[in-house]
Amino acid sequence: MKRSILRGTPRRAAALLAAALTVTAFCAADAVARSYPFGPRTRAVNDLGNQYVPFHAHLWDLLHGRSDGGLLVNWQSGFGSSFLPDLGTYLSSPFALLVVVFPRDEIDLAVYVITVLKTACAGAAMAWLLLRLRPGRWWAAGLLGAAYALCGWSLADASYNPMWLDGLVALPLLCLVGEWALDGRRRLLGVLVVALAWIANFYTAYMATLGAGLFLLLRLWLSGLPRRRALAAAGRATATVALGVGLAAPLVTVVYFGTKHAYPGRVTHFTPVATQDLLARLLPTTYGFASPALFVGTTALLLALALPFHRAAPVRVRAGWSLLVAAVALSLQWTPTHLAWHAFATPNGSPYRQTFVLCALLVVAAWHTLSYGVPAPRALAAATALLALVAAVASRSGLVHAYAWPVLLLSTAGALTGLLLLRRAEAAEAAGAGGVTVPEAGDGRGAEAGATTGDTTGDTGAVGRPGLAGLAVRVRRAEAVRSGAAATASGGGSGRAAGSSADVDDGREADDGREAGHGREAGHGHAADHGRETGDGPGDGRGRGVGADPAPAGAGAATGGRGEPRAGRAGARRRVGLAGLAVVVLVGAQLGEAAATSAVATRLRLNHLDDYASWGDRQREQAKAVSEADGWPAHRTDPGREQTVGNDPMVVGGQGAQYYSSLTADVLSRTLTALGGGWTSRGRNVQSLDNAVTDAVFSVGARVHSPPDQHQRWNPRDRGPVTVSRQDVPPLVTVRPATAPDARTGVSAFGPSPYRNQELLLGSRVYTVPALTVRTGDGARPARAPGDRPGTLVEAPRAKAAAHRPTIDAQCPARSEVYLWAPHYSGTARLTDSPAKPLTGRFTSDAAKIAAMQRLGTAPVSGHVRIELAPTRTGTVPDGAVGCLDTARLRTAVRGLKATGAEEVTVSDGTVRARLPAGSTGTAVIAAPRIAGWRCAADGAAAEPARTHFGLIAVPLDGSATSVTCTFHPPGLRLGAAVGGASLLTLVLLGTLTAVRRRRTARHPALHPATRPRERITSAL
């Protein structure tokens, strides 16, 4: 068979095996946990249900031309939010485009499939990298690639944060880019890989780039290159990263500036976890939200722990990889390095998002151990002792449950059994090749001890099996004594390593692990990755181990015996049987513990995090109601106060206030808070505000009313129908009177009362804010709230009877609508005396949430309002908590705004155009938050940065303009485009210079010396 047919097969086979094992374990775990799509339990926890699924749903709408907005502005969320930063944060991965092939109502399945594919690709990429680093068994590379993909970080953290999985894929690819930089090849491809990694998810790509940089530095040190060549390789790698990041700049800068304009949320400080918790996460089936998930499988962990004791590997290799793993592990626990890993800002949520880098290094260290041959029993015993010590310390951690111990014992037994079987197979193969048994790996004589500069590490060159080069010498001497012909022991060609002639890896990549045609796996014990063997025994410098030839066959033929071939076939069958059994045991152990770890994490997440139902009847009914009432841009349709997830408008349609993103604009959050809105996630998850005044201000002409989500167990059991209420509202663009030049019109102009703030935006007085009296259940006056929150404390009553509940008394105009604003109160509130059926307002607040203003019903004819409270915890009722809305005044105000408002409004992605009545003066106000990036112009005047009208977009009018046009330009896009253009131009120039140099070489061959075999300095790594 031609070499070109086989070339590259082992890497592809390893990648496919890693992907297959990953998919099998991932799906099996969800089946065991009875999690979607293999069971009734939802997997939409936390940000997966609140952010990733809704954003992918919006992307589906965008790709099918059904969304309100485009790449620049998402008009469905937050009354108009910048979409390009969200795209770069959540949806810029190439995998995200796969949603287009799924039905809209299977968006949860689409996200699941994308998650599985990303994880599988991470395993495939790691398997490819491992065989690029050192020759070895292709199935072992596939097994360790799957160990990386199924690491604890992937299963426990990234599986419900799918955007992070792009970093899991990027890390081995970026390490490959470093390898190409060492060889000075594939520069264009390297730049494109870096660019794609940073476009897919710049956050984890940043961490992966740091990890790949550490990886490259170690490779340079191990290579023993002269300083000049090492610096040149480092320079090539740096230039590759700079150009790649430059190409990704148009998206990266937009995300960066989006974070600058985002609501700040919570400022957190890093606190390292206890040592027992850190070590516990190395074990299977452990779970903890705020600890590093370091699980990589017991086999990989044992091999990594055995590396320092594996004397077949060079000392520099053992020391280098062991020290790098230890250094990165310590960096997880030290605040300065923790900040460096996270771009110098401690994240909200899990503080160990860089853990996948350490998992990758553990797997690479395990591969280096195995590629030099299975460690000797003494080395495995030392690794097992270390694992026992880890388990003993971890036993004091609360993260280790009882079921972890049987899983650990079984996986350890499986790993050790498989490795020992594999070692016996190696010994049998060596005995069949040389007629003697393999010496203990501890003698270290097969580790290229005599290698020259560039080969001292043995990473890609020379003997992969311990002691084989020295064994060749002993075999040659034995044959010389036996036959009296030393030439018999030194001839032949079957001992030549497969791929030894030319692995240039530039389109002619060597088959690091392919079958050599001699019944042995090439590369795992014989092959020099780039055609050089530097073992102890004599060689010709091209991978031919002199004397490692047909000794057994030759001896048998000389004696004329027929038992030798049959014995050889029996030995071969025994070797294959041992190796096959080892593979089955190792694969079974890894699949079992990975599936168990994933299943446990899936189940425990449901106890620790909020969860949300997958697409079902509730969303289907909401989407139908929204679609029937939709009238955008004539008016907005809000999907409702009773939300299902934090981004309902993206899931079921409509154009509401609801919006949850890491990039929620500061101006939006502060404006809605000042108007009485509620939020969670410390201000970045703003909620819908069911209020007649704010509906008029933001042109919400239709509102969906759904029963409480029955998936949430704390909601009342209410299965009422979905209804839609409509009201007459002004258009999206209105005209307001001019303000004084020195008047404050920003968000800072809002006062403490949300009722007065609503009137400020509306331009009319419509509320009565009465004095109120708060009493406890026994009629006493409760204490005042401490601190800077003026109000009254209310405590949960000890008795559940209504007579013991605290109350609020106030006097409102007859028939006015009664609202209660209590952002720091948790519980329910209802009117005790109302001419109509009273509503029950539900309030929820804690350190990360504030409650939204609630409508409670209509005041009686007497005007006396009594509100009965049922607090669930101690909270606060602020002064001015009750507002009484005069609906007649509101209707008058709306008629006035409609009379002077825009006659026609058109909206297309990032552009709003409005035709105004002739002679309009004052200020044109667009009912959208004035986020950074808006520029406006009246008629054909030059566009200027938009003004602000108490948080909304404003354009001054002089009486002559009959139209206004506002366009949105995401901050940072121009800068990113300039950087991206410069990077592209630089890349084109470098490519042109390279092409010109090659053409000159082709035209004037006499001016250049004859081509010599490429000096593979770095390929010895």
Side-chain angles (χ1 to χ4, degrees), residues 671-691:
T671 299
L672 293 180
T673 301
L675 299 177
W679 46 250
T680 64
S681 298
R682 298 175 179 84
R684 292 191 172 182
N685 185 351
V686 293
Q687 301 173 343
S688 174
L689 180 58
D690 189 354
N691 179 275

Side-chain angles (χ1 to χ4, degrees), residues 82 84 241 406 504 615 649 652 924 952:
S82 178
L84 203 55
V241 171
V504 295
W615 179 279
V652 300
L952 306 186

Side-chain angles (χ1 to χ4, degrees), residues 4 54 114 139 155 157 177 278-279 386 402 582 706 769 879 1000 1008:
S4 59
I114 289 171
W139 60 263
L155 300 176
D157 296 331
V177 171
L278 178 72
L279 296 179
L386 285 178
S706 304
V769 182
D879 298 337
R1000 286 181 178 177
H1008 300 275

Side-chain angles (χ1 to χ4, degrees), residues 305-327:
L305 293 175
L307 181 58
F309 311 101
H310 190 25
R311 297 180 62 189
V315 174
R316 285 164 66 95
V317 171
R318 286 185 275 162
W321 289 107
S322 300
L323 288 175
L324 181 59
V325 168

Side-chain angles (χ1 to χ4, degrees), residues 482-724:
R482 183 186 306 174
S483 63
T488 302
S490 58
S494 65
R496 188 175 57 202
S500 60
S501 58
D503 179 5
V504 295
D505 204 26
D506 58 353
R508 300 175 294 158
E509 293 178 15
D511 228 4
D512 289 338
R514 65 176 172 267
E515 294 290 330
H518 306 292
R520 295 188 298 237
E521 294 180 46
H524 77 76
H526 304 279
D529 189 32
H530 295 287
R532 296 185 299 174
E533 185 164 273
T534 54
D536 295 329
D540 65 358
R542 293 176 295 170
R544 296 184 177 89
V546 180
D549 206 53
T559 59
R562 294 186 178 182
E564 290 293 333
R566 283 196 293 271
R569 286 194 296 270
R573 285 194 296 269
R574 181 170 179 269
R575 292 194 299 271
V576 172
L578 287 172
L581 184 58
V583 172
V584 171
V585 172
L586 290 173
V587 169
Q590 179 162 306
L591 286 180
E593 64 176 334
T597 301
S598 180
V600 167
T602 299
R603 291 292 298 273
L604 292 181
R605 273 199 301 268
L606 292 174
N607 298 330
H608 178 74
L609 302 173
D610 295 336
D611 60 274
Y612 308 89
S614 303
W615 179 279
D617 291 340
R618 176 181 174 85
Q619 292 90 335
R620 193 172 294 109
E621 292 175 6
Q622 288 177 321
K624 181 181 178 182
V626 169
S627 177
E628 293 174 350
D630 196 15
W632 175 259
H635 68 80
R636 287 187 168 104
T637 300
D638 194 304
R641 176 76 187 89
E642 285 292 349
Q643 66 185 45
T644 307
V645 296
N647 277 304
D648 270 354
M650 296 190 204
V651 178
V652 300
Q655 311 83 27
Q658 271 187 281
Y659 180 47
Y660 178 28
S661 168
S662 297
L663 302 162
T664 301
D666 180 81
V667 63
L668 171 67
S669 187
R670 294 188 186 279
T671 299
L672 293 180
T673 301
L675 299 177
W679 46 250
T680 64
S681 298
R682 298 175 179 84
R684 292 191 172 182
N685 185 351
V686 293
Q687 301 173 343
S688 174
L689 180 58
D690 189 354
N691 179 275
V693 177
T694 55
D695 282 352
V697 168
F698 290 102
S699 191
V700 179
R703 177 174 289 277
V704 176
H705 301 274
S706 304
D709 184 7
Q710 299 301 287
H711 178 79
Q712 306 300 346
R713 58 186 179 276
W714 54 79
N715 282 340
R717 301 299 93 183
D718 181 357
R719 300 184 182 275
V722 175
T723 61
V724 178

Side-chain angles (χ1 to χ4, degrees), residues 147-478:
Y148 168 69
L150 297 169
C151 67
W153 179 87
S154 171
L155 300 176
D157 296 331
S159 61
Y160 69 95
N161 292 281
M163 66 175 185
W164 292 356
L165 289 171
D166 291 289
L168 194 73
V169 179
L171 179 55
L173 295 180
L174 292 175
C175 291
L176 278 173
V177 171
E179 294 296 300
W180 300 336
L182 281 171
D183 291 344
R185 295 176 295 110
R186 295 180 176 175
R187 298 180 184 180
L188 175 60
L189 181 59
V191 172
L192 295 179
V193 168
V194 173
L196 185 60
W198 279 72
I199 288 172
N201 184 249
F202 84 99
Y203 184 59
T204 49
Y206 164 79
M207 302 174 192
T209 303
L210 289 182
L214 295 173
F215 178 94
L216 177 61
L217 290 176
L218 178 59
R219 297 281 286 165
L220 286 171
W221 179 73
L222 291 175
S223 69
L225 285 172
R227 180 178 299 179
R228 185 174 179 180
R229 292 185 180 180
L231 290 176
R236 286 193 298 268
T238 303
T240 299
V241 171
L243 289 173
V245 175
L247 290 179
L251 203 59
V252 173
T253 55
V254 166
V255 176
Y256 172 78
F257 282 98
T259 61
K260 292 298 182 183
H261 294 103
Y263 188 77
R266 181 183 64 168
V267 177
T268 58
H269 300 282
F270 174 68
T271 302
V273 299
T275 301
Q276 58 264 30
D277 290 343
L278 178 72
L279 296 179
R281 298 309 304 278
L282 287 165
L283 307 180
T285 69
T286 58
Y287 175 79
F289 178 73
S291 57
L294 295 170
F295 167 78
V296 290
T298 306
T299 301
L301 182 59
L302 278 172
L303 288 171
L305 293 175
L307 181 58
F309 311 101
H310 190 25
R311 297 180 62 189
V315 174
R316 285 164 66 95
V317 171
R318 286 185 275 162
W321 289 107
S322 300
L323 288 175
L324 181 59
V325 168
V328 173
L330 292 175
S331 74
L332 268 61
Q333 295 286 84
W334 190 37
T335 299
T337 47
H338 157 83
L339 292 173
W341 280 114
H342 294 92
F344 301 98
T346 296
N348 292 321
S350 174
Y352 291 98
R353 300 179 183 184
Q354 78 280 36
T355 303
F356 71 100
V357 176
L358 181 54
C359 293
L361 295 178
L362 283 170
V363 169
V364 172
W367 174 250
H368 277 81
T369 302
L370 192 60
S371 65
Y372 286 101
V374 178
R378 284 176 294 179
L380 288 178
T384 306
L386 285 178
L387 179 59
L389 179 61
V390 168
V393 176
S395 64
R396 297 179 296 170
S397 171
L399 305 179
V400 181
H401 302 280
Y403 47 75
W405 301 117
V407 175
L408 177 62
L409 290 175
L410 288 173
S411 58
T412 303
L416 290 174
T417 301
L419 292 173
L420 291 174
L421 286 171
L422 190 58
R423 180 170 175 80
R424 291 190 63 183
E426 283 185 349
E429 184 177 358
V436 295
T437 58
V438 174
E440 286 292 319
D443 62 8
R445 287 181 290 177
E448 297 108 339
T452 57
T453 300
D455 297 322
T456 54
T457 67
D459 278 351
T460 57
V463 181
R465 207 170 297 132
L468 199 58
L471 174 63
V473 178
R474 292 193 292 275
V475 169
R476 185 176 70 251
R477 291 174 179 171

